Amino acid sequence: DVKVTQSSRYLVKRTGEKVFLECVQDMDHENMFWYRQDPGLGLRLIYFSYDVKMKEKGDIPEGYSVSREKKERFSLILESASTNQTSMYLCASSFGLAVRTDTQYFGPGTRLTVL
Amino acid sequence: AQSVTQLGSHVSVSEGALVLLRCNYSSSVPPYLFWYVQYPNQGLQLLLKYTSAATLVKGINGFEAEFKKSETSFHLTKPSAHMSDAAEYFCAVSDLKDKIIFGKGTRLHILP
């Protein structure tokens, strides 16, 4: 079974803090993704990565950055957290052979609250 | 641009009744379509996907979906609802840049 793990289930931070969300997958997948999930808005793509050290902006990259130094690990960084970044953050990975039809495998999510 | 629209943010059905969750898509190219499910306090998992083979796609837990090009629809059905089906369901479409565009989700409530 593919396993995608996220470093924290719940996180509380203060406005202006730098926040790191970590994601690790154990199936040697090429692609990794970060989404945020908000009620009534579904999932929105923040950033994704097709390979180590590669990254591409998704639909809502503002206020976020990412890092992928190793194939299995994809980090989401909030340089200066703000209250409007309070949300559920979901990491996903996929094999990468045929991206348009690949199944994405999701982690359990990190619920971030910024006070 | 590719997009999906899920009709109904909340759907309630009685246990044992038919489940029908509606999804319409918009795509400028032949679409690849997905249904994902999110159980409480979990991430999403794939229920089924359409990749241009059979138009009737069977998935896990007794769910199936039918691709109807003429109606631009990919509705999800299950003949008999079970309490364990209570979850949030997301329809999604692949876009031309190899990303997946998710709908806003439909929360399914099962009434005893």
Side-chain angles (χ1 to χ4, degrees):
Chain A
D1 272 357
V2 174
K3 191 166 185 182
V4 179
T5 57
Q6 296 184 229
S7 50
S8 306
R9 291 300 303 270
Y10 300 93
L11 208 53
V12 180
K13 296 292 182 181
R14 297 209 173 272
T15 301
E17 280 193 79
K18 189 169 187 176
V19 182
F20 292 88
L21 303 182
E22 305 285 341
C23 176
V24 177
Q25 50 93 5
D26 67 356
M27 280 300 291
D28 202 35
H29 282 175
E30 300 291 332
N31 305 326
M32 296 189 76
F33 308 83
W34 274 107
Y35 296 91
R36 65 176 282 175
Q37 181 179 14
D38 300 288
L41 297 179
L43 275 73
R44 293 178 291 168
L45 183 64
I46 304 172
Y47 268 97
F48 59 109
S49 169
Y50 288 140
D51 200 353
V52 176
K53 297 191 186 295
M54 302 290 288
K55 62 183 179 184
E56 291 202 32
K57 293 181 180 179
D59 300 316
I60 52 164
E62 296 78 19
Y64 303 94
S65 62
V66 291
S67 172
R68 194 169 180 199
E69 296 295 320
K70 294 185 177 182
K71 191 174 185 179
E72 68 272 17
R73 188 179 298 269
F74 192 36
S75 302
L76 180 69
I77 303 156
L78 288 66
E79 294 290 343
S80 177
S82 64
T83 55
N84 63 13
Q85 293 178 309
T86 292
S87 186
M88 171 70 87
Y89 290 88
L90 292 169
C91 175
S93 70
S94 68
F95 184 64
L97 183 62
V99 180
R100 287 198 71 207
T101 59
D102 271 353
T103 297
Q104 290 194 12
Y105 296 86
F106 284 80
T110 295
R111 186 168 295 281
L112 173 67
T113 301
V114 182
L115 302 176
Chain B
Q2 278 69 15
S3 67
V4 291
T5 301
Q6 292 184 241
L7 301 176
S9 57
H10 292 266
V11 170
S12 296
V13 302
S14 298
E15 191 174 18
L18 172 72
V19 175
L20 171 60
L21 303 182
R22 300 178 187 272
C23 174
N24 288 91
Y25 69 89
S26 172
S27 179
S28 56
V29 296
Y32 297 123
L33 295 158
F34 306 79
W35 275 100
Y36 282 82
V37 60
Q38 185 179 31
Y39 297 106
N41 298 315
Q42 296 185 26
L44 280 70
Q45 65 182 86
L46 182 73
L47 267 181
L48 49 82
K49 61 182 174 181
Y50 167 75
T51 57
S52 75
T55 56
L56 182 61
V57 182
K58 294 188 182 298
I60 61 172
N61 301 337
F63 284 92
E64 62 183 35
E66 186 171 8
F67 173 70
K68 291 187 177 180
K69 184 177 179 180
S70 60
E71 298 177 9
T72 61
S73 69
F74 190 57
H75 301 331
L76 182 70
T77 61
K78 181 174 180 177
S80 177
H82 192 273
M83 295 300 290
S84 61
D85 295 326
E88 191 159 19
Y89 293 79
F90 293 92
C91 182
V93 61
S94 285
D95 80 351
L96 292 174
K97 296 182 180 179
D98 300 332
K99 297 180 296 181
I100 289 182
I101 309 299
F102 286 88
K104 295 184 178 182
T106 297
R107 189 168 295 278
L108 178 64
H109 305 272
I110 310 297
L111 307 173

